[in-house]
Amino acid sequence: MSLFENTAIAFKLKSNNELRKAHALFKAVDKNWLTNLGAWSLPWAIHIPGVKSLMKATVFAQFCGGETRKESLQTVEQIYGQNVKSILDYSVEGKESEEDYERCFNEIMAIIDIAEGNPMIPFVVFKPTGFGNIDIYTKVSAGDKLSPNEEKQWQNIQRRFKAVCEKGHTKDVTIMIDAEESWMQDAVDDLVVEMMQLYNQKRCVVVNTLQMYRHDRLTYLKTQAKLAKEEGYYIGFKVVRGAYMEKERERAKEKGYPSPIQPDKASTDRDYNRAVLFIAENKERISLFAGTHNEQSCKILMDYIGKNDLDKDDNQLWFGQLLGMSDNISFVLADLGYNVAKYVPYGPVRDVMPYLIRRAQENTSVAGQSSRELDLIEKELKRRKLEN
Ligand SMILES: Cc1cc2nc3c(=O)[nH]c(=O)nc-3n(C[C@H](O)[C@H](O)[C@H](O)COP(=O)(O)OP(=O)(O)OC[C@H]3O[C@@H](n4cnc5c(N)ncnc54)[C@H](O)[C@@H]3O)c2cc1C
């Protein structure tokens, strides 16, 4: 049995009933047509009586910690019992008023208070579009002139970034910033570099995200490493492959610019693994959070740690997965003593719909092959001698 096939460890926290429920769910999302129908109809169907409760008992229960911070803390404690840490992820998306952005900002500030000195919550994360409109980031990225009203919105975004990073610095809590669409990323990157220069003088408090499905990110990483070395501050990266590939390719085609995405999966994998190894080799100055469900990439980092006689729980090297996915990786790595943290998304059921739809789409069958999650659950059902 290969390392990540130990379903007894992976699903230790799931009762027989919960496992059966997870099986029914992954069996349903495995069907492309059903997931597509759900993705199309849910934004309006969620208002039909009963649909919200159904969602809460199924997809939401699998992928989210709860509707509130407080509800999610139960999940945080539960997985901590298996040595897996949590990253509370306020997953409300698609809100676009200044009040909504301020609410999100206040939520992140409150999570920093919970994370302070709390070994269960080693990182606090936010999405740039939680703090401001994508159009503002896009215009700033393109160097376009902002109207007075847009300038005000940009000032608010900068204020929110700064307050969160400053609080992280004061309370010794690491702040991680998600990456979204490439066309808004330059504005985010510049802001994050500014935050790193301010707050990463003694250690890496502010962590950016690299999406390795972009063909320019390995070069970006190396440029940032050089700059940090020259100027004497610390940097850190969550390394992911990237979640918006179709959208990126479509926009590039529509607007007639070269796609920022790698030509094929193998190129993304190659750059992902190179980035992980480059950071591990430079861990004195760069912190690594390998956010992936790819077993091969996890093995590459494990091998590096082993070959170089590093501590498995070296605080510069972290593995990360999403709640409800790849428990076979998270719990097995944690059981072996590596640093592992899972995103624990939360928010009102109706507001986390875009997040849940992305997760369902990720788990549909590919080329007629059922998803890896479904295979693992079926293996565990068999091991427990439960009917499918
Ligand atoms: C803890 C955590 C945090 C995350 N944070 C972010 C974030 O901030 N921003 C973000 O965008 N995503 C984020 N993600 C999502 C992440 O990008 C997806 O989980 C990831 O795309 C799935 O890739 P994988 O590494 O698990 O491996 P795999 O399942 O092996 O890889 C799938 C990925 O490979 C890439 N790919 C697939 N086909 C091709 C192709 N033909 N050409 C080029 N590339 C291809 C795509 O990125 C695709 O998603 C996060 C994931 C985790 C676990």
Side-chain angles (χ1 to χ4, degrees):
M1 180 173 66
S2 89
L3 183 68
F4 294 125
E5 278 175 16
N6 191 333
T7 57
I9 293 181
F11 298 112
K12 194 169 163 189
L13 289 174
K14 288 224 184 299
S15 67
N16 289 348
N17 207 18
E18 285 167 334
L19 197 65
R20 281 201 189 96
K21 261 174 69 181
H23 181 247
L25 175 73
F26 280 103
K27 194 108 186 142
V29 299
D30 196 47
K31 295 182 176 59
N32 268 300
W33 66 268
L34 191 60
T35 302
N36 289 340
L37 182 68
W40 172 77
S41 62
L42 261 178
W44 54 267
I46 193 79
H47 302 285
I48 299 170
V51 172
K52 191 182 144 194
S53 321
L54 179 70
M55 292 304 295
K56 186 160 186 188
T58 55
V59 201
F60 185 90
Q62 177 69 26
F63 296 114
C64 293
E67 292 207 70
T68 60
R69 248 179 284 143
K70 206 167 154 214
E71 257 180 50
S72 309
L73 286 176
Q74 254 183 311
T75 306
V76 171
E77 280 170 21
Q78 203 192 20
I79 65 175
Y80 188 65
Q82 298 266 104
N83 195 29
V84 173
K85 324 287 191 307
S86 292
I87 304 173
L88 285 173
D89 178 23
Y90 184 58
S91 296
V92 170
E93 293 181 25
K95 299 276 178 185
E96 297 192 339
S97 73
E98 279 301 307
E99 294 84 71
D100 291 322
Y101 298 137
E102 203 60 21
R103 190 170 309 123
C104 177
F105 163 69
N106 287 327
E107 191 68 32
I108 305 301
M109 293 294 265
I111 302 177
I112 300 177
D113 287 325
I114 302 178
E116 184 183 7
N118 186 345
M120 295 191 284
I121 306 176
F123 305 93
V124 170
V125 74
F126 71 88
K127 265 196 166 39
T129 53
F131 283 5
N133 196 295
I134 184 167
D135 294 342
I136 306 294
Y137 291 102
T138 306
K139 280 194 157 184
V140 173
S141 298
D144 291 350
K145 193 167 161 43
L146 301 180
S147 70
N149 178 276
E150 288 168 340
E151 184 56 48
K152 215 162 126 197
Q153 291 182 56
W154 177 232
Q155 299 284 333
N156 277 334
I157 290 174
Q158 290 171 288
R159 167 178 60 78
R160 293 177 187 122
F161 264 74
K162 181 145 196 292
V164 164
C165 295
E166 187 175 81
K167 187 164 176 176
H169 179 254
T170 310
K171 303 223 163 198
D172 202 19
V173 170
T174 305
I175 308 294
M176 212 178 245
I177 297 144
D178 278 348
E180 299 168 87
E181 286 83 353
S182 64
W183 54 92
M184 59 169 280
Q185 191 63 35
D186 282 357
V188 175
D189 285 343
D190 290 350
L191 201 45
V192 177
V193 169
E194 208 181 307
M195 296 300 111
M196 286 178 168
Q197 287 166 334
L198 272 175
Y199 301 116
N200 288 5
Q201 290 295 332
K202 294 215 172 84
R203 74 164 193 95
C204 179
V205 172
V206 181
V207 174
N208 205 356
T209 298
L210 297 172
Q211 296 160 311
M212 304 313 298
Y213 66 11
R214 287 184 55 174
H215 53 65
D216 64 351
R217 291 294 90 176
L218 199 57
T219 309
Y220 178 78
L221 164 63
K222 291 180 180 170
T223 313
Q224 290 307 311
K226 190 161 171 276
L227 184 69
K229 193 173 174 197
E230 279 163 14
E231 295 190 12
Y233 60 91
Y234 296 87
I235 54 177
F237 292 99
K238 164 159 61 90
V239 185
V240 301
R241 281 182 170 76
Y244 310 88
M245 187 171 74
E246 307 299 337
K247 211 169 158 186
E248 290 283 352
R249 285 185 168 150
E250 269 165 34
R251 185 178 190 264
K253 200 168 160 196
E254 197 185 295
K255 295 199 178 266
Y257 61 83
S259 171
I261 303 299
Q262 306 265 17
D264 47 38
K265 171 85 162 62
S267 312
T268 301
D269 292 345
R270 179 203 59 215
D271 275 14
Y272 187 94
N273 297 332
R274 281 188 186 166
V276 162
L277 288 178
F278 177 83
I279 299 178
E281 281 157 13
N282 291 279
K283 74 179 185 68
E284 302 320 318
R285 188 163 300 275
I286 321 179
S287 310
L288 172 66
F289 186 95
T292 183
H293 299 140
N294 182 301
E295 295 174 9
Q296 192 57 33
S297 294
C298 292
K299 282 204 189 109
I300 285 173
L301 181 55
M302 291 167 76
D303 285 349
Y304 181 86
I305 292 173
K307 277 191 196 129
N308 290 280
D309 249 344
L310 304 177
D311 290 339
K312 285 180 179 166
D313 63 349
D314 186 314
N315 202 37
Q316 290 291 91
L317 306 172
W318 283 78
F319 296 84
Q321 288 79 40
L322 306 176
L323 188 74
M325 281 183 74
S326 294
D327 283 351
N328 62 314
I329 297 181
S330 312
F331 291 109
V332 167
L333 284 175
D335 189 61
L336 292 169
Y338 294 96
N339 291 320
V340 184
K342 273 177 114 74
Y343 269 36
V344 177
Y346 73 94
V349 177
R350 123 178 2 163
D351 297 333
V352 300
M353 274 305 136
Y355 177 86
L356 293 178
I357 290 170
R358 280 206 300 279
R359 294 293 79 82
Q361 285 170 333
E362 240 171 61
N363 285 289
T364 55
S365 68
V366 180
Q369 258 198 337
S370 60
S371 79
R372 173 121 184 98
E373 294 295 335
L374 186 58
D375 286 347
L376 287 163
I377 294 170
E378 290 186 345
K379 188 162 178 259
E380 178 61 5
L381 283 169
K382 206 179 262 174
R383 196 193 65 85
R384 291 190 196 180
K385 301 192 171 40
L386 299 170
E387 296 260 324
N388 255 319

